[in-house]
Amino acid sequence: MINVTLPDGSKREFPDGASPLDVAESISKSLAKKALAARVNGELRDLKRALDGDAAVAIVTDKDADGLELIRHDAAHVLAQAVQALYPDAQVTIGPVIDDGFYYDFARKAAFSTDDFEKIEAKMREIVDADYPIIREVWEKDAAIAEFRRIGEDYKAQIIDDIIPPGEAITLYRQGDWFDLCRGPHLPSTGKLPKAFKLMKMAGAYWRGDSKNEMLQRMYGTAWANEKDLKEHLNRLEEAEKRDHRKLGRQLDLFHMQEEGRGMVFWHEKGLTLWRVIEAYVRRRLEASGYVEVRTPQVLDRKFWQESGHWDKYRENMFVCETAEEETLSLKPMNCPGHVQIFKFGQKSYRDLPLRMAEFGACHRYEPSVALHGLMLVRAFTQDDAHIFCREDQIEEETANFIKLAASIHADFGLERDHISLGTRPAQRAGSEEFWDKAEAQMLNAARAAGVEPVIAEGDGAFYAPKLDFQLKDAIGRSWTCGTIQLDYVLPERLGAEYIAEDGQKHRPVMLHRAILGSLERFIGVLIENYAGAFPMWLSPVQVVVAAISDAAADYAEEAAAELRKAGLRVEVDKRNETINYKVREHSLQKVPVIAVVGAREAEERKLALRRLGSNGQQIITLDEALVSLAEEALPPDLKRSR
């Protein structure tokens, strides 16, 4: 007999050879019907695979994250089966699960197109309706290679030959007369796959990711547990397309990018205005929180980066140049080593700690051109960077204070915090297990001191210490990583940072690397998409447009704009010979929060007809009233609170 422990701690006996499906049926028929797979002693397994002995068993359904991943995994297999049924000349290669879906790479001389998707999806639905049992088979390596070569699947044969050690068995999964190399697990049958899938796009991909190899055709799809979830996902994608910061950046005249400066941003006047507003706000918040601002060199000698350890670990991502004097220099990819040099300049005492050192530091990192993505991944960027040099007994308080500061700043920008993740020790790391135990406990206690229970991200820490990352949600529910704090005992040691402690001896400070926005480029991209370009008044590059109805009101429009500027507002004037409806429509497309319409009557009475973005109505108020109300409305959140 086999003893099975269920998630609630209860135990049940089953005969030898029982499967997780038998366990599910013993609990309830409805659970057995919903079951997709099982976790057996923590390992995800096929539902019908016999248990090896006593085990802890948890049934997986489509309500579980594991269940959704299985659905997407099987959708990839069903896609491959459908493609080969329709196009027998296509060879299959790999088909993994990715965020929100899956893809499969095919080798075929003729090109696929998105016009083929409807036919392929119809064949996929046929395979689901056929309800083929999905059967796990164990093969010897050489026999599997021979079989795949026999049917013309050279890529699969090569995969097996390359990754499977000699003499080791492999697993294949068969559905109907089609089979594929896979470690599994899978759904019990193709009929268990919900028809909530859709093919999305085509792309090229080199075999094994190597540009020297042949180009394959990658077919992307998405798959969900039900039609409702699929529809919501497609709606999110449609909304995200409308909010694409690259399109809005051009439409709103904020910035552009071009091939001659890959990964570099050309900021236009309006975009730079937005940048300066954000930078000024952050600078005020940092000054109020006890930070000092510094600036470090843009280019430093190779020796400097060798001492810090970046040359060995980060060289391929650094922009390096050589001078006529045989110097080897690098543009800085990060600010932290430079901040250590400022800390080392002059003797520091324990009374100087914590020392919070901030810099809007311009950095450069080489990213492959295929990875670049608008403002979200660039080669030149500016971090709202800071480093807190402190004693070990100050770590938890400084970290907790930072968490509260970051939460306040993110909220002022209208971004909701979803959670904070604690990245723990990675596989490749510096330091002993005792060090990591201590460092992880310090970060966990600091988060709890700030009233936050972090989500553990196993193995996601930096190589030198654990970190806390801030996950924010935007207006359409997408998650963005904005902000981090990382604990570092290593860099102060490598670069020789010291302070005189109370005992009169030299000690190493602890270094907290922290950023709230991350990079200004990426954060502005997030803001553009969050607000769909319609920024709140305090962030909007142009806050008010004074639009004259006729030439008779042109002088008053200029006068009103001048008064509004004196009140601290960012104002433009529109005196063009166009209809007022045309002007209102055009400035609305530019997402201007307030359009102040003035005609002969408004000029005579010294009034403004205010039209708000997204509203068809208007508000008639005096210019004096507008100076007070609009100036108040346009104040950044921190200045409003201080009034």
Side-chain angles (χ1 to χ4, degrees):
M1 297 294 287
I2 296 173
N3 291 309
V4 169
T5 304
L6 300 177
D8 64 0
S10 63
K11 297 181 183 294
R12 299 191 184 194
E13 279 192 345
F14 293 88
D16 292 341
S19 70
L21 179 59
D22 296 321
V23 176
E25 287 175 339
S26 76
I27 297 171
S28 73
K29 294 295 182 184
S30 63
L31 178 61
K33 187 176 180 181
K34 295 174 184 175
L36 302 179
R39 279 213 168 270
V40 179
N41 295 327
E43 178 189 356
L44 197 62
R45 283 215 185 173
D46 297 311
L47 194 62
K48 295 181 179 180
R49 184 176 170 185
L51 299 172
D52 302 322
D54 294 350
V57 176
I59 304 302
V60 173
T61 72
D62 64 11
K63 303 299 182 187
D64 302 306
D66 286 336
L68 186 55
E69 185 164 334
L70 278 171
I71 286 169
R72 290 169 177 164
H73 188 179
D74 278 49
H77 277 230
V78 170
L79 166 63
Q81 183 178 6
V83 166
Q84 291 198 301
L86 294 169
Y87 311 96
D89 60 327
Q91 287 192 61
V92 293
T93 61
I94 59 170
V97 173
I98 56 174
D99 287 346
D100 296 335
F102 58 92
Y103 69 77
Y104 219 110
D105 287 347
F106 298 97
R108 183 175 180 242
K109 289 183 179 179
F112 290 111
S113 81
T114 54
D115 293 337
D116 299 319
F117 284 179
E118 185 176 351
K119 182 165 61 172
I120 296 171
E121 287 173 353
K123 177 58 72 173
M124 290 174 70
R125 287 190 286 271
E126 286 181 21
I127 293 169
V128 172
D129 289 336
D131 196 19
Y132 297 120
I134 300 178
I135 301 168
R136 180 177 183 267
E137 299 178 355
V138 180
W139 286 58
E140 293 296 326
K141 174 181 176 177
D142 292 343
I145 291 173
E147 178 64 11
F148 277 111
R149 284 184 175 150
R150 183 188 70 79
I151 62 175
E153 294 288 356
D154 297 328
Y155 290 91
K156 287 292 182 184
Q158 185 180 336
I159 291 172
I160 299 170
D161 200 24
D162 289 348
I163 68 173
I164 305 299
E168 187 172 314
I170 64 167
T171 55
L172 307 180
Y173 278 81
R174 186 182 300 275
Q175 49 198 56
D177 59 359
W178 184 87
F179 59 91
D180 197 5
L181 168 69
C182 190
R183 69 181 58 181
H186 280 276
L187 304 176
S189 69
T190 60
K192 283 282 192 177
L193 179 66
K195 293 181 181 178
F197 50 74
K198 183 175 177 60
L199 300 181
M200 303 298 293
K201 62 180 181 179
M202 293 294 307
Y206 291 110
W207 170 236
R208 296 276 173 89
D210 188 339
S211 60
K212 296 177 183 177
N213 292 336
E214 52 270 47
M215 177 70 76
L216 305 174
Q217 299 183 65
R218 178 167 294 178
M219 202 173 291
Y220 284 95
T222 188
W224 297 83
N226 52 64
E227 286 289 341
K228 177 176 175 289
D229 289 350
L230 173 62
K231 185 176 180 181
E232 287 177 355
H233 173 68
L234 296 177
N235 287 340
R236 283 194 300 271
L237 291 180
E238 184 179 350
E239 185 63 31
E241 180 69 19
K242 295 176 187 175
R243 293 167 179 263
D244 189 325
H245 73 281
R246 295 165 296 180
K247 294 180 181 178
L248 287 171
R250 285 183 173 270
Q251 176 188 323
L252 302 180
D253 195 21
L254 300 175
F255 69 92
H256 81 274
M257 306 178 83
Q258 59 191 62
E259 278 298 300
E260 292 81 0
R262 288 185 182 180
M264 318 283 184
V265 186
F266 292 81
W267 289 102
H268 300 190
E269 179 188 357
K270 291 179 180 178
L272 189 58
T273 297
L274 173 59
W275 176 299
R276 291 172 61 198
V277 169
I278 293 169
E279 187 177 71
Y281 162 83
V282 173
R283 181 173 278 119
R284 289 193 302 271
R285 296 300 307 270
L286 294 182
E287 288 176 354
S289 299
Y291 285 77
V292 297
E293 187 171 348
V294 300
R295 182 161 295 174
T296 55
Q298 195 68 32
V299 182
L300 289 166
D301 190 274
R302 176 179 66 180
K303 179 181 178 182
F304 182 83
W305 300 107
Q306 288 172 326
E307 290 174 354
S308 71
H310 290 99
W311 192 262
D312 292 335
K313 294 184 176 293
Y314 213 74
R315 166 65 184 83
E316 67 274 12
N317 296 102
M318 297 169 71
F319 286 97
V320 177
C321 60
E322 294 184 354
T323 71
E325 299 178 20
E326 299 185 350
E327 299 168 298
T328 301
L329 309 172
S330 172
L331 285 167
K332 65 177 178 179
M334 61 268 302
N335 304 295
C336 33
H339 288 189
V340 176
Q341 302 311 304
I342 294 177
F343 181 87
K344 289 170 60 179
F345 188 83
Q347 185 169 280
K348 298 295 186 298
S349 161
Y350 69 93
R351 294 186 181 90
D352 298 316
L353 306 183
L355 174 56
R356 307 179 189 97
M357 192 182 298
E359 178 177 9
F360 292 97
C363 299
H364 290 76
R365 297 179 187 175
Y366 171 74
E367 300 287 353
S369 58
V370 294
L372 300 174
H373 179 71
L375 299 179
M376 302 307 188
L377 186 61
V378 292
R379 289 176 173 173
F381 58 95
T382 298
Q383 291 180 310
D384 69 316
D385 206 2
H387 295 91
I388 302 171
F389 296 88
C390 62
R391 305 189 309 267
E392 191 169 355
D393 63 300
Q394 295 172 323
I395 290 172
E396 292 182 13
E397 181 181 4
E398 286 299 309
T399 302
N401 288 340
F402 170 74
I403 292 171
K404 294 172 185 176
L405 175 64
S408 172
I409 289 176
H410 292 150
D412 279 352
F413 282 109
L415 294 168
E416 176 189 353
R417 187 173 74 201
D418 183 61
H419 66 276
I420 293 177
S421 63
L422 170 58
T424 59
R425 64 199 77 184
Q428 299 295 321
R429 57 184 181 268
S432 65
E433 293 305 297
E434 291 77 15
F435 160 76
W436 279 91
D437 289 341
K438 178 180 72 172
E440 288 171 3
Q442 287 169 325
M443 299 302 274
L444 180 61
N445 291 338
R448 288 172 173 168
V452 175
E453 187 63 34
V455 175
I456 305 300
E458 295 286 352
D460 199 38
F463 79 91
Y464 49 79
K467 63 176 181 173
L468 295 171
D469 287 333
F470 295 74
Q471 311 297 330
L472 307 182
K473 271 192 176 179
D474 69 8
I476 59 173
R478 294 173 299 181
S479 182
W480 302 92
T481 301
C482 293
T484 186
I485 184 163
Q486 303 176 4
L487 180 60
D488 188 357
Y489 287 84
V490 175
L491 199 60
E493 177 74 28
R494 283 184 170 168
L495 296 182
E498 297 174 333
Y499 70 94
I500 304 300
E502 287 182 274
D503 61 6
Q505 301 301 310
K506 292 181 179 180
H507 290 251
R508 299 283 184 209
V510 178
M511 194 173 179
L512 297 174
H513 304 247
R514 48 110 298 182
I516 296 175
L517 309 185
S519 79
L520 269 73
E521 286 80 0
R522 182 173 179 275
F523 191 74
I524 288 173
V526 171
L527 287 180
I528 292 170
E529 298 203 359
N530 180 60
Y531 289 110
F535 300 109
M537 186 84 155
W538 75 280
L539 285 173
S540 185
V542 178
Q543 295 169 321
V544 182
V545 168
V546 182
I549 293 176
S550 63
D551 289 344
D555 289 344
Y556 175 63
E558 290 285 8
E559 180 187 348
E563 292 297 314
L564 289 166
R565 290 190 189 104
K566 287 179 186 177
L569 292 151
R570 297 185 287 276
V571 186
E572 289 184 352
V573 180
D574 189 345
K575 300 184 294 183
R576 293 173 300 165
N577 186 25
E578 302 284 356
T579 67
I580 194 62
N581 286 340
Y582 177 87
K583 293 178 182 180
V584 168
R585 182 169 61 253
E586 190 172 77
H587 294 302
S588 295
L589 289 173
Q590 288 296 302
K591 316 287 188 183
V592 177
V594 178
I595 302 171
V597 177
V598 296
R601 178 180 297 178
E602 285 78 19
E604 182 180 344
E605 298 176 357
R606 293 185 61 77
K607 290 184 177 179
L608 301 174
L610 303 183
R611 299 191 180 202
R612 303 280 179 166
L613 183 62
S615 172
N616 293 324
Q618 65 180 19
Q619 175 190 19
I620 309 294
I621 62 174
T622 67
L623 176 57
D624 289 340
E625 290 171 332
L627 293 173
V628 175
S629 63
L630 293 180
E632 175 68 23
E633 185 180 344
L635 276 176
D638 61 314
L639 297 183
K640 277 187 181 179
R641 287 192 293 268
S642 66
R643 288 172 71 89

